[in-house]
Structure formats: C-alpha cells, structure tokens
Amino acid sequence: MTRVNGSNGKVPARTPPARLESGNLVVVGVGGQGVILASNLVSQVLLDAGYDVKKSEVHGMSQRGGTVVSHVRFGPEVHSVMVEPGSADWIVAFEWEEGLRSLSYLKPNGVALVSTERRIPPAAMLDHRDQSLEYPALGEVPFGVLALDTFAVAGDAAAAVPAVAQTVLLGALSVLLPFPVEAWQASINAWVPRKALTGNLRAFERGRALAPEVRAAEAAARTVARTVEPGPEVVPSASASPVEHDGAKRSRDGVAERLLPVVRIERSWCKGCDICVAMCPEKCLVLDELDVAVFARPERCTGCQLCALLCPDLAMDVLWVPADDLTGWLFANEEDRVRAAADPR
Amino acid sequence: MSLDVVSRPPADVPQGGTVAPEARADDVLAAARGASWPGASAEKHFLRYGMMPHMLCPGCGHGIVLDAMLRALARRYETLDDVAFVAGIGCSSRVVGYVDACTLHTTHGRPLTFATGLKLARPDLEVVVVTGDGDGLSIGGNHLIHAARRNIDLTCVLFNNEIYGMTGGQLAPTTIPGAYTSTSPKGNHEQPFDAARLVEAAGGTFVARAQSFRTRDFEEIFLRALEHKGFSFVEVMTDCTEYFGRTNRLGNGADLLFSQARADVAIEADLAGRPTLQEVPARPVRPVMEMGVLHESRRQTLEEAMGLVEAGS
Ligand SMILES: Cc1ncc(C[n+]2csc(CCOP(=O)(O)OP(=O)(O)O)c2C)c(N)n1
Ligand code: SF4
Ligand code: SF4
Ligand code: SF4
Ligand SMILES: [Mg+2]
C-alpha cells in the first residue's frame, strides 16, 4: 500500500497512517442526491484495499426528498452493519440539516464533512404566509464540522449534472483515508454512469485539493478545547456528577467532549399534569406509577426545551452533559426516582 | 450543602466567553435553602425555593407565564433587588409570592393603586404588576383604566384565564360566550371585554397580547414591556385547568394549550372553519384574537409630569 500525500504538491503536516485498522463512516443526505452511489463508491475502495466491508442503507422516503442514510464499516472482520451513535470516525453529509442531525453518530474527535446545500423539508415551514422556517442557520458551525460549499468548490464541474457537486465531499474524505488517488478514480470509473464521469472526476479532484482545510479540521477535532463546542456550558456539581469538574474548563486530556441533552426533573415539584408528555415531539417523557414525569427515552431527546418551557411547575431543566457522563447523569435522575418511591412524602 | 451550583443563562442568550465559576450570592442562598439543583436554568435562581412547589393546580397556565416572566427578567437583571412585584388577589396574583424580589401581595383589585404609590415614592424601582382578569377587570377595572390614563411607568401583566379561578370558577368579564362556569350554568350570555383594546383606548402607551402556549413570544413581549417608558400592559391568555377546562370539558392542560394554538391569527386561515376544540358544537368557541404588540407610542409619563424623573430619558 503506497502512502498518499496531497496530490498537488502542498504536503500537509500530518499524513494519514499507512494502514487503518478499522473505521466507521456515515453518509447522509436526501433522496436524489446520490448518497447510495457515494457509499458504494467508498465501499469499493475499501474492498479493493482488502478490508472486510459491511454497508447498510435506509432510504424510505428518498423518492420524495426524504432522509437517506448509509453506514459503512470496515476492518479485518466486521460483524454488525450498523454504526453505533458516538462511534463514527467520519460523517459525509450531502445536506446541511441532515448533516447536523447525524452528528450524534460522530466520535468525540471525529470529523464531519458537511455540504452547505439546503434541501428544506415541508415540515420545516413554520408559517406559510411569511415563509418563516425552522431550519438550522448556516452561520453556526458546530464543533467537529467542516462546512463545505460544494457547489462553489465544484464550479463548472457540476454545470451539466448538479448532483455531481457532492463528489467534492468524497475528494475531501479521500484526504482523511490512506488510499492512493488511483484507487478512488478506479472506483468512480466503475460506478458512475458514463455521462457524468468526467464531471465526477473533476469534482473529486477539487475536493481533494481542499487537503489543507480538511487536515486542519481533523487536527482541530483532535485537540481544540471546549470554547468551540456546541451547546451551552454545563458545570455539574460534584455531588450529582460522577466526574470532577473544574469550573469553566471542561476538556479531558485536551480532547473536547461532545455534549448531549439530559432533562432534569425536580420530582418534588412535578404535579403530573401530562403537559410535557404530550408536548415532547420525540416522546421522551412518560409519567410513572406516582404520576411524576420521567425522562424515559434520553436517546431520542433533541434538547429542544419544549418540555421545560411549558412545564407549569418549573420542574424541568434541559442540561447539556458530556456524552461519556450520560449514564452517570441518568443514573443520578434514577436515584432520585428510587428515593422518591421509597419516601413518597 | 453544595456550593458548586453555578447559574447559567438560557441557551439562547449570547454568552460573553465562559461562565464565571464563582457561585453568586443568591446561588449560595438558594443552595442553603436546599432546593436548587446543578445546572438549574438562570431564572430558577429568582425563585423563593423554600416556597416551592407552588400552590397552582396541575397544568395551570399561570406557572408557564411565571417561568417566562422570570426568564425575561434573568435576561435583563442580575438580581431582582431593584424590581418590585405588586399583585392583587387570585391564583394569578398569588404567583408573586414565589418570586425572590420585593413583593407586595395587596387587596383584591388594587394592585395598580398600591403600585402607583410605590412608583411615585421610588421611581427608581422597576415595578411589575401581576393581576388576573377578575382582579384587574372586574373589581379593579377602574384602577386599570386610570393607571393607563395617567401613563405611569408600570408594567402590568394581566393573566387572562377567562374565569375566577381562586374562588371556584365564577363568570369573569372575559369569559367567552357560551362558556359554562359555576355562575353561568346555562352558558355565558355576555360579551367579554377586549382588555388590550380597553387599555389602549384609556391611554396606555404599550399594549400587547400573548399566550402561555407561545411562551417564547410572551417572553420577548414582556421584555419589551419592561423596557417601555410609560404604562405597559400585556394581556396573556392562560388556562385554568381546574375550573374553565373541567367545567367546559375541554380536556387537560395540554389540550387547553393546543386550543390556544387554534385561536391564533397565525393559523386563522387554516382553521377558520373549525376553530372549536374537539369539534363539539355545544362547547364554547375560543375566538381568534390578535396577538403581539398591538399599540406602542410615547407620551409624557406621570413621573415626568411631576418632575420625579428627567423627561425624555
Ligand atoms: C374584596 C374582595 N372581594 C372578593 C374576593 C374574592 N375573590 C378572591 S380571588 C377572586 C377572583 C380572582 O379572579 P382572577 O383575578 O381572575 O384570578 P384567577 O384566580 O382567575 O387567576 C375573588 C372574587 C376578595 N378576596 N376580596
Ligand atoms: S428537550 Fe425536547 S426532545 Fe428532549 S425531552 Fe424535552 S421536549 Fe422532548
Ligand atoms: S409538565 Fe412539569 S409538572 Fe407537568 S408532568 Fe411534566 S414535569 Fe410534571
Ligand atoms: S383554580 Fe384555575 S387558575 Fe387557580 S390554580 Fe387552579 S387551575 Fe390555576
Ligand atoms: Mg382569572
């Protein structure tokens, strides 16, 4: 296996390792963007490099612009086809919101290459008269994300077939993987229809020329401290959290931590009115046998705060806690529950 | 006792750098009272923890409004030392008892008169009046129009739940036509007041209407009302689950919140044909009402006229 440097002679500081042991990739987008084709293409490169590769796809509503997700896992021997949340080394997203939505799959120091292309789903329309939208702003780029204006990068390469622009992302991804450029070109040759072939090859090349930016994003994801993290500060108290904290800083061994939402319910204030249960769009909350709200499905919580905003008893707070501590925090809640059940005053 | 509790502004408030790690004095107090919790949002630090949980019924909309008011205050003030809450009598008026500010719980219908005296004696205070539709429009209706006429620099929030909650669900001057209450067993035959337009006509210089359901909107409107110089009036539609909801068989707190969403101009076009909750023809129809800031103007305030504060500031 030959080692690859930047194809254009601008040799970056850190080159990828000669051989990766294993890896997890998540490719997301919406129907018609070529997500499946792209994951086939990457899988081909991996198979040619001698890995065991497993790939899975979800594309239910893809014909009408619905979400399309493909998981690609490789290594000496791969058993499960699914990438677990928090374990993707790379995310390649063809659409901005889909990219942000998939971030829970990313490892704490993984890299997400996200196109700034916007495909706005009908459900995001808040008011049809003033056209107001609920759609994440392009200005706010979360930690670990490299936002790429794929159309601008692709330029005339995508003039004939617009979908070709997203191949820029594969060029950028190729910088992070230790395979020769010829392997990628061969895979593109094998999978892409004739009429779009030259466009795809050129878009790939332009993406690969982004090596300095891509490497910088990778380096930042490995080292940058928490000032650029998503979500607000959380300073857990020593008593409730299983980890020590030191005030404003919240990075472990210099590695920034990903934060996940946790709903803290003050059980002694909750009157079991059912408002949070009915209002939560993700159905995360239930009432227990004492008619007290319980954060039953934390994995589905988006941190939207609707429950806390509409709780008439001010009994809820949405906290953002480091992903590794999540079980500790949920357990802290659970302890409250057990205590309350034992002492129903 | 843990002193590790650090207050944190709500997520949407721009934060300059990182949160100071030192606990604030009121955090220490809150921790000492034993009911604060780690990560509690900023507005919770304005609560009298020892008094919680509050006495409102399950699902009562007044609690949602209280939380939103505290959120707005947390965006404007570090402490509530220079904020006074004045309230009359009623479930709505009762909420000031949970706010860790200077509070006056006065007599039925007279919070605006107490507040007028307080404001003239201490023009430096931010004075917020909390009143109900019974408190502010029946027994206190005259005080309301005269406070508006005088344009005294108060912020009055009227919790409109279309009923007298505290005394057992009697008809209020805001009860919608057809609604059942303990004093209108055959349904209401009277026309309700449009409180916001009443105050505007009487001379109020900031007039708005909001809903407990769209709590973020109310928060923004309340913040603007606080900033306004002159008499600011915010009518906020809330739900009495225990009497209005139950007597009219409108469902639980969540159902009532959804019914607010339906009585909203934003969706008027879609729902004009079927604005009733649960589509039961015999049940009262929540009218579609204008929401948002309905009137805003600037004229001399009473304090300015009396030379108590510098004019034009
Ligand atoms: C002088 C006087 N008259 C009557 C009462 C009885 N009373 C107490 S609260 C209330 C009505 C409160 O209604 P509202 O202001 O709408 O408050 P809500 O409970 O609905 O929030 C009445 C009539 C009283 N306390 N004092
Ligand atoms: S924050 Fe949003 S998603 Fe999470 S529990 Fe509350 S309402 Fe549900
Ligand atoms: S909204 Fe608040 S009071 Fe009602 S059930 Fe949920 S936590 Fe309990
Ligand atoms: S009686 Fe009505 S207004 Fe009063 S606390 Fe209960 S639900 Fe709220
Ligand atoms: Mg009332």
Side-chain angles (χ1 to χ4, degrees):
Chain A
M1 181 82 21
T2 40
R3 281 182 39 167
V4 180
N5 288 333
S7 56
N8 52 7
K10 284 185 238 155
V11 183
R14 203 189 71 83
T15 49
R19 176 89 189 167
L20 283 171
E21 185 57 25
S22 62
N24 294 327
L25 167 71
V26 173
V27 188
V28 297
V30 300
Q33 283 192 307
V35 168
I36 306 295
L37 177 65
S39 63
N40 286 346
L41 218 144
V42 178
S43 301
Q44 186 69 59
V45 174
L46 295 165
L47 285 168
D48 292 348
Y51 289 101
D52 184 21
V53 183
K54 288 221 164 50
K55 181 171 87 85
S56 63
E57 296 152 7
V58 179
H59 47 96
M61 293 281 282
S62 53
Q63 291 307 313
R64 270 173 274 160
T67 303
V68 182
V69 186
S70 178
H71 291 188
V72 180
R73 304 190 65 221
F74 66 94
E77 199 184 352
V78 178
H79 298 286
S80 169
V81 294
M82 301 301 290
V83 176
E84 299 253 314
S87 70
D89 301 274
W90 314 278
I91 289 175
V92 170
F94 289 15
E95 203 272 348
W96 182 245
E97 188 188 33
E98 293 300 330
L100 300 193
R101 264 155 42 87
S102 68
L103 286 182
S104 57
Y105 281 104
L106 202 60
K107 275 183 178 169
N109 52 6
V111 182
L113 305 168
V114 183
S115 167
T116 54
E117 183 178 359
R118 290 153 55 106
R119 297 277 187 105
I120 294 163
M125 186 70 78
L126 289 180
D127 189 324
H128 290 272
R129 288 181 305 180
D130 68 5
Q131 301 286 301
S132 61
L133 272 180
E134 187 156 43
Y135 189 89
L138 289 176
E140 299 158 17
V141 179
F143 180 70
V145 170
L146 178 62
L148 293 172
D149 185 345
T150 41
F151 280 97
V153 176
D156 60 348
V161 186
V164 164
Q166 307 302 355
T167 308
V168 161
L169 295 168
L170 292 186
L173 176 70
S174 75
V175 176
L176 300 172
L177 294 171
F179 308 118
V181 68
E182 296 76 25
W184 291 91
Q185 287 162 345
S187 176
I188 293 172
N189 262 307
W191 282 94
V192 171
R194 289 296 110 192
K195 66 174 171 34
L197 189 59
T198 38
N200 268 294
L201 287 168
R202 279 165 64 206
F204 178 85
E205 217 172 279
R206 292 193 177 153
R208 199 171 163 88
L210 296 171
E213 287 92 332
V214 177
R215 293 264 163 77
E218 187 191 33
R222 281 177 205 282
T223 54
V224 168
R226 83 173 272 132
T227 41
V228 289
E229 274 183 46
E233 286 279 343
V234 172
V235 187
S237 95
S239 59
S241 162
V243 272
E244 289 296 309
H245 70 85
D246 57 350
K249 282 192 292 307
R250 196 75 181 79
S251 70
R252 232 188 240 157
D253 313 328
V255 177
E257 286 171 276
R258 197 157 295 279
L259 302 178
L260 293 177
V262 167
V263 178
R264 168 72 167 82
I265 300 163
E266 178 56 40
R267 294 185 55 85
S268 64
W269 293 9
C270 168
K271 296 191 184 119
C273 70
D274 203 45
I275 286 179
C276 58
V277 177
M279 292 293 173
C280 172
E282 307 297 332
K283 299 278 165 268
C284 299
L285 300 151
V286 295
L287 294 184
D288 69 7
E289 64 285 358
L290 297 171
D291 263 0
V292 175
V294 177
F295 185 45
R297 286 173 169 175
E299 71 285 357
R300 303 180 61 163
C301 177
T302 58
C304 71
Q305 286 197 320
L306 203 55
C307 53
L309 288 171
L310 290 176
C311 171
D313 287 276
L314 294 85
M316 307 181 111
D317 280 292
V318 180
L319 318 175
W320 289 84
V321 306
D324 329 358
D325 300 347
L326 191 62
T327 34
W329 275 85
L330 294 172
F331 184 67
N333 251 336
E334 181 62 15
E335 261 182 341
D336 285 358
R337 210 174 78 79
V338 173
R339 203 172 50 229
D343 176 16
R345 250 177 311 146
Chain B
M1 187 180 85
S2 160
L3 295 188
D4 287 324
V5 184
V6 175
S7 71
R8 174 171 66 75
D12 52 341
V13 179
Q15 301 175 36
T18 48
V19 175
E22 314 86 41
R24 283 179 2 199
D26 48 353
D27 296 330
V28 178
L29 261 176
R33 288 171 187 152
S36 173
W37 55 81
S41 36
E43 81 271 13
K44 303 257 157 80
H45 296 278
F46 288 164
L47 284 173
R48 291 177 177 153
Y49 279 90
M51 303 277 292
M52 295 293 283
H54 58 55
M55 54 118 241
L56 304 171
C57 306
C60 175
H62 293 349
I64 304 175
V65 180
L66 170 66
D67 191 27
M69 286 172 71
L70 294 180
R71 282 201 308 274
L73 286 164
R75 286 165 63 179
R76 195 167 153 85
Y77 295 106
E78 273 276 300
T79 73
L80 296 187
D81 294 349
D82 293 323
V83 179
F85 272 78
V86 185
I89 299 293
C91 302
S92 37
S93 303
R94 187 68 190 80
V95 305
V96 303
Y98 304 102
V99 184
D100 202 4
C102 317
T103 56
L104 281 177
H105 196 186
T106 71
T107 53
H108 195 28
R110 273 78 194 177
L112 282 163
T113 55
F114 281 89
T116 301
L118 177 64
K119 185 72 183 178
L120 295 183
R122 287 285 305 274
D124 57 306
L125 287 183
E126 175 85 76
V127 181
V128 179
V129 175
V130 173
T131 184
D133 48 334
D135 192 64
L137 287 171
S138 302
I139 190 168
N142 243 304
H143 300 296
L144 180 65
I145 56 176
H146 290 289
R149 176 179 62 82
R150 292 182 183 121
N151 196 31
I152 181 164
D153 187 14
L154 302 172
T155 301
C156 177
V157 181
L158 186 139
F159 290 43
N160 184 354
N161 56 3
E162 297 153 299
I163 207 155
Y164 291 2
M166 180 162 269
T167 43
Q170 291 85 357
L171 191 80
T174 44
T175 307
I176 55 179
Y180 300 95
T181 69
S182 55
T183 49
S184 62
K186 295 185 176 169
N188 178 24
H189 300 294
E190 302 173 8
Q191 276 302 311
F193 264 138
D194 181 333
R197 292 300 182 197
L198 177 73
V199 170
E200 181 189 345
T205 48
F206 181 98
V207 177
R209 189 185 285 123
Q211 295 172 316
S212 57
F213 178 62
R214 287 180 163 69
T215 171
R216 285 282 195 208
D217 291 357
F218 169 70
E219 182 184 330
E220 295 302 323
I221 286 173
F222 179 58
L223 205 58
R224 270 177 71 183
L226 288 174
E227 281 158 12
H228 179 79
K229 285 258 167 303
F231 189 69
S232 321
F233 180 78
V234 183
E235 177 186 10
V236 52
M237 310 307 295
T238 84
D239 296 309
C240 171
T241 43
E242 197 54 28
Y243 291 107
F244 190 82
R246 220 152 48 93
T247 316
N248 290 292
R249 285 193 255 137
L250 292 176
N252 66 9
D255 293 325
L256 283 159
L257 285 172
F258 283 128
S259 82
Q260 285 189 18
R262 293 180 158 209
D264 182 336
V265 280
I267 52 169
E268 181 182 1
D270 297 13
L271 288 173
R274 45 184 181 94
T276 57
L277 185 77
Q278 298 170 355
E279 323 268 323
V280 183
R283 299 287 147 213
V285 174
R286 278 204 143 152
V288 171
M289 283 191 290
E290 283 175 289
M291 297 287 157
V293 177
L294 306 179
H295 170 77
E296 194 170 10
S297 62
R298 177 80 174 104
R299 71 179 166 92
Q300 197 179 42
T301 66
L302 181 63
E303 305 94 299
E304 286 167 356
M306 292 173 73
L308 298 175
V309 298
E310 245 176 75
S313 60

